[in-house]
Amino acid sequence: MTVPSPSDPALAIHRQDALAARVCSRIGAEYAGGIARGADWAANMRSYELIGDRRRAQRGHLDYLYVRRTGNFGNNVIQLINAAILAERFGIKHVIHRTSWIDDYHAPGGPALLNRPTALAGSYAGLSGTYFVASAISALSDLPPERRLRVFDASIKPGITLTPERATGICLNLRGGYDVFENPDPNRHYGQPPIAYYQTALTRLLQRHGPQEIEIVHQDHRNPVLQPLLHWLEQQDLGHRVTSSGPEGDAMAMLSARHLVIGWTSFSAALALFSPHIESLTAFRGTHLQEVLRRALPRLYLAEDQGRAYFPEGRWRGSARQREMMLSYPAEALSFNDIAVQPDRADEARHGRRIQRAARLRSALSTLGLPRF
């Protein structure tokens, strides 16, 4: 048997992997290896890399989590929430990220969020990864939604740089994109709601809240619902404006809305959490961050496929039949429910203070040169 040399590159990689796996286990993260280009999505969600001072990591210290970008704004907000929860729990002082529209912010008692990839270097130890799949990190499993909401409100929401000038009325957001409507092998969860959903949601909001400004925000012209919906609005003599001005312009329009109606998209769901004006969110079948949104918003209306004949969730193929169904599925097959709840903020605040005290103890041990894990 050949004994590897201490300078053997394969042995060095093995040692790095072993250390990265050990650091991941300390925060409950499932380690699937180092970051590799071309790996599939599931592997990337469980891939981590130690950056900075590895010797410090060997001694049991972890100074920051580095959040690798994945997808667009909404997915990265979900990552930030998860990373901030981990940092608070384990006394990790910094979360470094590259999420658009979220600036540096340090909440009292919480981690400092820094939107600068080179914010910490040299003598600090960091763990770079994708903190998107909560089920792959045991420390995030079974957390009450109130915890996620508290951490979001304290550490992430104050850093938003988009500030709408005024509140508007009803905004209908239609997702487009090549990846949804032209990709021959789309993500099976990217299916979008039928036109009847938008028509019924708008009618219900006007009946409940009276005349409102109406704005259609669309990513591009790929969604089959767009043109028929605009034609229907004209037939109903419902004045409206149309916005499609890139990610920031579209985001500003949605942040201004009092009532937001969305398809399946983490972009719009995350914006609803940041909105200073929102009074209601309407979603089809479900939405990203749903349990947090239930507790954050005054009203969350959920449209259900009562007829159970619309294409099933997780079965989107972008086929001609499915696109035709988006235009023909009847409003009578849909039902709408109000599922908002009031969060137990007082109990979570008390629990949060206990977590922060334990985290400060870990940080104090680190300052004394003692391992924190």
Side-chain angles (χ1 to χ4, degrees), residues 128-148:
S128 171
T130 304
Y131 302 88
F132 182 73
V133 180
S135 60
I137 305 174
S138 61
L140 296 175
S141 62
D142 299 324
L143 287 182
E146 285 84 358
R147 173 92 52 85
R148 298 182 185 277

Side-chain angles (χ1 to χ4, degrees), residues 91-167:
I92 302 168
K93 294 183 178 180
H94 300 88
V95 173
I96 300 176
H97 65 100
R98 298 175 58 200
T99 306
S100 303
W101 312 326
I102 299 179
D103 210 345
D104 296 358
Y105 184 74
H106 189 185
L113 268 65
L114 304 175
N115 194 336
R116 289 172 287 155
T118 59
L120 298 176
S123 59
Y124 296 97
L127 183 66
S128 171
T130 304
Y131 302 88
F132 182 73
V133 180
S135 60
I137 305 174
S138 61
L140 296 175
S141 62
D142 299 324
L143 287 182
E146 285 84 358
R147 173 92 52 85
R148 298 182 185 277
L149 179 58
R150 175 181 58 78
V151 170
F152 172 81
D153 284 342
S155 294
I156 299 168
K157 188 173 184 178
I160 190 74
T161 60
L162 298 180
T163 52
E165 294 181 359
R166 68 183 185 94

Side-chain angles (χ1 to χ4, degrees), residues 3 9 29 37 51 57 109 116-117 122 130 135 151 168 170 172-173 194 197 229 242 246 252-253 328 331 338 362:
V3 178
R37 294 185 181 278
I51 52 180
R116 289 172 287 155
T130 304
S135 60
V151 170
T168 57
I170 300 171
L172 308 183
N173 174 232
Y197 158 74
L229 179 62
V242 179
M252 287 290 284
S328 62
D338 185 346
R362 287 191 173 95

Side-chain angles (χ1 to χ4, degrees), residues 20-250:
R22 191 160 71 245
V23 172
C24 286
S25 70
R26 290 167 179 165
I27 63 169
E30 180 184 332
Y31 180 69
I35 298 166
R37 294 185 181 278
D40 65 27
W41 185 87
N44 275 329
M45 295 301 104
R46 293 164 172 80
S47 300
Y48 298 88
E49 181 182 11
L50 285 172
I51 52 180
D53 189 343
R54 283 186 171 81
R55 290 174 300 178
R56 185 165 170 78
Q58 287 175 335
R59 295 194 298 269
H61 302 286
L62 186 58
D63 301 297
Y64 64 96
L65 302 178
Y66 180 82
V67 178
R68 298 202 322 268
R69 287 193 61 160
T70 178
N72 296 312
F73 176 75
N75 285 8
N76 289 293
V77 168
I78 293 171
Q79 284 206 86
L80 277 183
I81 294 172
N82 289 337
I85 289 170
L86 291 172
E88 179 190 74
R89 175 171 177 178
F90 293 105
I92 302 168
K93 294 183 178 180
H94 300 88
V95 173
I96 300 176
H97 65 100
R98 298 175 58 200
T99 306
S100 303
W101 312 326
I102 299 179
D103 210 345
D104 296 358
Y105 184 74
H106 189 185
L113 268 65
L114 304 175
N115 194 336
R116 289 172 287 155
T118 59
L120 298 176
S123 59
Y124 296 97
L127 183 66
S128 171
T130 304
Y131 302 88
F132 182 73
V133 180
S135 60
I137 305 174
S138 61
L140 296 175
S141 62
D142 299 324
L143 287 182
E146 285 84 358
R147 173 92 52 85
R148 298 182 185 277
L149 179 58
R150 175 181 58 78
V151 170
F152 172 81
D153 284 342
S155 294
I156 299 168
K157 188 173 184 178
I160 190 74
T161 60
L162 298 180
T163 52
E165 294 181 359
R166 68 183 185 94
T168 57
I170 300 171
C171 174
L172 308 183
N173 174 232
L174 275 65
R175 181 172 182 171
Y178 168 88
D179 55 337
V180 179
F181 294 106
E182 294 180 4
N183 188 342
D185 185 25
N187 185 308
R188 295 298 192 256
H189 296 280
Y190 280 1
Q192 298 299 308
I195 188 172
Y197 158 74
Y198 290 101
Q199 293 168 331
T200 306
L202 175 60
T203 301
R204 284 169 49 88
L205 288 170
L206 291 172
Q207 290 172 346
R208 287 193 173 201
H209 303 286
Q212 305 272 329
E213 298 176 64
I214 300 172
E215 185 168 14
I216 310 299
V217 174
H218 64 96
Q219 182 178 349
D220 51 39
H221 289 81
R222 291 184 172 95
N223 191 315
V225 162
L226 176 61
Q227 293 304 326
L229 179 62
L230 294 177
H231 180 63
W232 177 80
L233 288 168
E234 292 173 358
Q235 286 184 319
Q236 301 298 312
D237 198 24
L238 291 171
H240 59 277
R241 62 179 177 275
V242 179
T243 296
S244 183
S245 54
E248 184 167 334
D250 293 354

Side-chain angles (χ1 to χ4, degrees), residues 180-183 186 188 315-323:
V180 179
F181 294 106
E182 294 180 4
N183 188 342
R188 295 298 192 256
R315 298 289 183 87
W316 173 251
R317 298 184 304 277
S319 66
R321 168 61 180 150
Q322 288 179 331
R323 294 161 70 91

